[in-house]
Amino acid sequence: MTRLILSTSNIMTGGPSIIRKPGADRSNLELTNSLRSNFLAAQQDYSPPLSATNGSGSPRSSSDEDLPTRRPQSSIWTTRDGSDYYVPTIDWSLSGLCEERSQYDITVKLFYLHGAHVKDRTQHTKDAINLVLKELGVDSIDLLIVSFPGMSFDGDCEWEADKKNSAQGNDEEEIASWPALEELYNQGIVKRLGLSEFGSEKLSRLLVRVKVRPQVDQVNIKDCCNVPPPLLKLAKLEKIELLTHNDCTDILPSGTLRELLGQGIRGAGVLSESKRGINGMRGDLNPEWVVKYTAVVRDRGVIENKGYFAVAELNE
């Protein structure tokens, strides 16, 4: 088994190709474009210059069929460390923020994905936070928000959305996952805990069963106009801050990830499309989690560093 660790680096320093485009609300476009852009940048940075000709003095063809043949070997711009495989290679010496830690508000959002084992969420949580801390060169984050699979806030109106939300997800799995977050809070690594897409009934049921209560509930109301009055009332009563977002819950489906890493025109060439594993790794690919991090300079309200890590298991 190989653990694939994908990273975007700091997307605030990237070009327009990785910026969320109009109409991309609630999509994974920012993540996929950022990963693809970072893969391409790494291929260019770590690879020797490619000849502009085909050896006969004629310009190299730019046809679709020719693109994969000109792609550098993945071993040049990726790194294997035991069972971990970094796509692309990460130069940790370039990590860190420009100013003192006290000058930043750091928010992290962790997406538990469909198909990953619930029993592994404790380790997934620790791994995700450790990667973010290392990338930003800090020892704590201000807010950790978790997104559980199967949750949404959709409906023809806010009342319907809140009602539908009450039956979504899995209460027992969500409660079983919470102690890993509480541990980070108790250790001082995380200052505040939050969750995403919890309506009034879901939130009420969770509050009575956890030791460290969430202080933030993040909801997407794009498809239901307003925050439901029952949720507003509960949040006020329990002193929970309500935030809005436009993230996609199913942020990295397996098919999307395989396309990103595959041999296609827009793929990175890491995974093989042959059963024999020619031109890449082969096996069953299972995305496990995605983490998004944002570091905002407090006195200026400017995002200095924003990026993603995504992890998948490849059973070879």
Side-chain angles (χ1 to χ4, degrees):
M1 187 273 289
T2 296
R3 186 174 70 150
L4 303 180
I5 302 175
L6 286 58
S7 60
T8 65
S9 189
N10 183 4
I11 69 175
M12 302 308 296
T13 61
S17 65
I18 65 172
I19 296 175
R20 186 188 296 273
K21 296 177 174 58
D25 287 350
R26 232 175 164 186
S27 80
N28 59 356
L29 185 61
E30 182 178 68
L31 171 62
T32 55
N33 279 353
S34 299
L35 286 171
R36 187 175 285 116
S37 178
N38 202 34
F39 297 163
L40 179 60
Q43 289 171 359
Q44 295 171 343
D45 289 346
Y46 288 98
S47 301
L50 294 175
S51 172
T53 66
N54 59 13
S56 62
S58 303
R60 183 181 290 274
S61 168
S62 59
S63 66
D64 291 349
E65 292 79 12
D66 187 53
L67 289 174
T69 66
R70 294 190 286 129
R71 183 191 294 127
Q73 290 292 323
S74 59
S75 59
I76 296 175
W77 57 278
T78 60
T79 298
R80 179 177 286 277
D81 182 9
S83 61
D84 291 340
Y85 193 76
Y86 290 86
V87 185
T89 296
I90 300 176
D91 185 352
W92 297 109
S93 68
L94 302 178
S95 301
L97 299 170
C98 295
E99 302 180 33
E100 296 294 325
R101 169 65 182 89
S102 60
Q103 300 302 309
Y104 297 92
D105 279 320
I106 299 176
T107 299
V108 173
K109 185 170 183 179
L110 175 59
F111 300 82
Y112 297 125
L113 302 183
H114 289 281
H117 296 297
V118 175
K119 63 180 178 60
D120 294 329
R121 284 182 183 169
T122 296
Q123 189 60 51
H124 293 168
T125 303
K126 293 178 180 178
D127 291 344
I129 297 303
N130 286 338
L131 282 171
V132 172
L133 295 179
K134 189 173 183 179
E135 174 66 22
L136 298 181
V138 298
D139 58 8
S140 66
I141 62 175
D142 296 289
L143 172 62
L144 171 60
I145 297 172
V146 290
S147 172
F148 294 102
M151 301 292 296
S152 65
F153 225 74
D154 298 324
D156 294 332
C157 67
E158 56 266 32
W159 295 93
E160 181 185 352
D162 195 44
K163 182 178 180 180
K164 290 173 61 177
N165 178 272
S166 66
Q168 293 176 344
N170 185 306
D171 284 13
E172 296 308 314
E173 292 181 356
E174 292 146 12
I175 295 298
S177 305
W178 199 257
L181 312 176
E182 294 176 327
E183 182 180 354
L184 292 170
Y185 175 87
N186 292 330
Q187 292 174 346
I189 297 174
V190 173
K191 298 178 182 179
R192 293 199 300 164
L193 298 179
L195 35 70
S196 181
E197 308 289 28
F198 269 58
S200 59
E201 291 187 35
K202 287 281 295 186
L203 184 56
S204 295
R205 297 198 296 265
L206 181 132
L207 289 175
V208 298
R209 298 184 61 184
V210 299
K211 296 177 181 179
V212 179
R213 293 152 60 93
Q215 298 182 44
V216 170
D217 186 9
Q218 191 185 55
V219 297
N220 187 318
I221 57 173
K222 177 179 178 292
D223 295 325
C224 63
C225 303
N226 300 300
V227 177
L231 181 58
L232 282 171
K233 181 179 179 180
L234 177 64
K236 183 177 181 179
L237 177 65
E238 301 292 348
K239 295 181 173 57
I240 294 175
E241 182 181 4
L242 293 178
L243 301 176
T244 59
H245 74 95
N246 56 8
D247 297 316
C248 177
T249 301
D250 190 15
I251 195 169
L252 191 61
S254 179
T256 299
L257 181 57
R258 184 166 287 278
E259 179 184 359
L260 278 170
L261 297 176
Q263 298 293 325
I265 298 171
R266 304 189 70 194
V270 173
L271 297 182
S272 172
E273 296 180 4
S274 166
K275 292 183 178 181
R276 292 180 294 168
I278 300 175
N279 296 326
M281 306 165 67
R282 67 182 180 90
D284 295 327
L285 188 65
N286 183 36
E288 296 184 322
W289 55 264
V290 171
V291 67
K292 177 173 75 171
Y293 55 90
T294 308
V296 178
V297 183
R298 284 177 174 162
D299 61 355
R300 299 198 300 273
V302 175
I303 300 176
E304 179 183 303
N305 198 312
K306 178 181 179 182
Y308 295 82
F309 287 101
V311 165
E313 181 181 274
L314 182 67
N315 293 307
E316 301 170 89

